[in-house]
Amino acid sequence: MPEKQPDVLDQAFVQAAHAALTGSAPKIPPQSLIESLLQREKVTQSQSDLRFEQFIGTWRLCFVTGTKKPHQHQNKTVGNGFYIPRWVKMQIVYSPGNPTDYGPQTSDTVGQIVNQVHWAGLSLSLTGPARCWSKKNIMAFDFTRVEFKAFGRTLYQGFIRGGQESEQTFWDGHVRTQAFFVYFLIKDQVLAARGRGGGIALWAKTET
């Protein structure tokens, strides 16, 4: 696949995200989208000025790769992926959080993450602390609380097992022991990152 400039790739990602959210056609073929994401990951440089405020908002998951870690091997793309169906709303929400929970951290690098899934009147939300390591484009996080709703009614809300302790010790931990995303695309409209397990995901911003 010919190399493309980052701005051309970014336009393709916005197009792919829009098609996924609206159901419009044509969609970029999944394999082509993975190839573009791998190109973008390759050209991304470290951003030492990365700030948490760049992530604040609601980001809906549009595209995700499969269980096999996507990569280039002998000029061929290994791995597959798929668009998230419109009838399943999967999103992450980044917010500043409560400064009193940060301990020795600073508010420009830390906050809160919520991972939400909405489907057929059911809603599951996982919440916890998050911290960006600017020199490595990493967002580390831990889910410590859970909330389950059915048709707007809260059925359960509380700490995940061990969540209260994990929430208190998160700020003292090292990224090597935490879940994280390595972001290689951070734009006003879209985000893309590789997770600790090796998979790649693309999100579109739906709320500020």
Side-chain angles (χ1 to χ4, degrees), residues 34 38 41 68-73 76-79 194 200:
I34 292 176
L38 289 174
E41 183 182 37
K68 179 178 289 188
K69 179 180 177 180
H71 63 281
Q72 293 286 344
H73 179 68
K76 293 184 179 180
T77 300
V78 179
R194 187 184 287 272
I200 292 177

Side-chain angles (χ1 to χ4, degrees), residues 69-98:
K69 179 180 177 180
H71 63 281
Q72 293 286 344
H73 179 68
Q74 296 181 349
N75 295 322
K76 293 184 179 180
T77 300
V78 179
N80 52 41
F82 57 92
Y83 288 93
I84 304 299
R86 292 179 62 204
W87 43 270
V88 179
K89 183 187 290 187
M90 305 175 69
Q91 59 191 25
I92 55 175
V93 182
Y94 286 111
S95 59
N98 185 353

Side-chain angles (χ1 to χ4, degrees), residues 9-10 12 17 29 33 37-39 55 67 78 82-83 90 98 109 121 123 133 137 144 149 169 185 196 201:
L9 293 171
D10 295 350
L33 184 54
L37 288 166
L38 289 174
Q39 282 193 22
F55 299 89
T67 55
V78 179
F82 57 92
Y83 288 93
M90 305 175 69
N98 185 353
T109 60
S123 174
W133 296 76
N137 287 359
T144 57
K149 292 182 177 182
T169 61
L185 177 65
R196 180 169 184 160

Side-chain angles (χ1 to χ4, degrees), residues 188-207:
D188 291 341
Q189 295 176 283
V190 290
L191 292 175
R194 187 184 287 272
R196 180 169 184 160
I200 292 177
L202 174 70
W203 295 267
K205 195 168 194 177
T206 57
E207 297 178 32

Side-chain angles (χ1 to χ4, degrees), residues 50 95 147:
L50 193 66
S95 59
E147 181 181 51

